[in-house]
Amino acid sequence: MESRAKYRTKHRDDLLSFLRTIPGQHVTASDVQAYFKNNGKNIGTATIYRQLDRMVDEGLVTKFTIDSTSPACYQYLEPETHCQDDICYHCKCEECGRVIHLHCHEIPEFHKHILEHHGFEVNSMRTVYYGICSDCAKKRG
């Protein structure tokens, strides 16, 4: 982790505490701001975005951007169930929103191909594969 990852503020601690209470759920910055407002704490939008972006950089939170017209969603990454090494990828179901933490040793070969043949290094911690989970596929028939 970079040295800035260790920089802590009261707002950061409050935000991280809140995110830990909603594991597996996605929230927008507006959702976070509404939560704090409803609980008597005034945290500015810029502060919330800044802290969330730092947490994304640190690997504590993942960020999902569905399209250019929807607000970004954030999800706390639980240490017990999330990536403890660099072999973890994220699959997001486009129907139910479920996020699957995929530990697969074959995907790095694909990323290696992208680097060697296309000159692009993939950031695995920020990569999200979108599709349909098996449960939603079964419901579709």
Side-chain angles (χ1 to χ4, degrees):
M1 246 186 269
E2 298 176 6
S3 60
R4 83 175 189 169
K6 296 179 184 346
Y7 182 71
R8 296 176 57 153
T9 66
K10 176 79 170 116
H11 289 314
R12 175 193 165 80
D13 290 343
D14 289 345
L15 178 56
L16 195 53
S17 292
F18 165 64
L19 293 173
R20 287 179 175 146
T21 67
I22 55 166
Q25 293 184 35
H26 302 108
V27 293
T28 64
S30 296
D31 296 334
V32 172
Q33 191 169 36
Y35 168 82
F36 284 117
K37 184 177 181 180
N38 291 337
N39 286 283
K41 294 183 181 182
N42 188 19
I43 300 178
T45 305
T47 299
I48 291 169
Y49 276 111
R50 185 172 48 256
Q51 293 299 332
L52 286 170
D53 286 340
R54 284 183 180 156
M55 290 178 192
V56 168
D57 290 343
E58 296 165 26
L60 296 170
V61 171
T62 192
K63 179 179 180 178
F64 302 101
T65 305
I66 305 300
D67 57 44
S68 62
T69 61
S70 302
C73 293
Y74 300 86
Q75 179 187 1
Y76 174 67
L77 301 173
E78 298 175 90
E80 309 80 47
T81 60
H82 188 65
C83 314
Q84 295 301 318
D85 55 33
D86 291 334
I87 311 288
C88 181
Y89 306 94
H90 308 98
C91 300
K92 180 171 172 61
C93 180
E94 295 174 299
E95 291 196 13
C96 70
R98 179 175 160 213
V99 175
I100 299 166
H101 301 283
L102 179 67
H103 298 271
C104 179
H105 295 278
E106 293 185 28
I107 296 174
E109 288 302 314
F110 173 64
H111 290 185
K112 183 179 174 184
H113 167 83
I114 292 172
L115 178 61
E116 290 175 357
H117 296 274
H118 305 284
F120 188 82
E121 185 173 352
V122 175
N123 179 340
S124 300
M125 292 300 292
R126 297 194 58 162
T127 301
V128 180
Y129 297 99
Y130 290 89
I132 307 298
C133 71
S134 59
D135 293 339
C136 289
K138 286 177 189 170
K139 290 176 187 173
R140 280 182 165 183

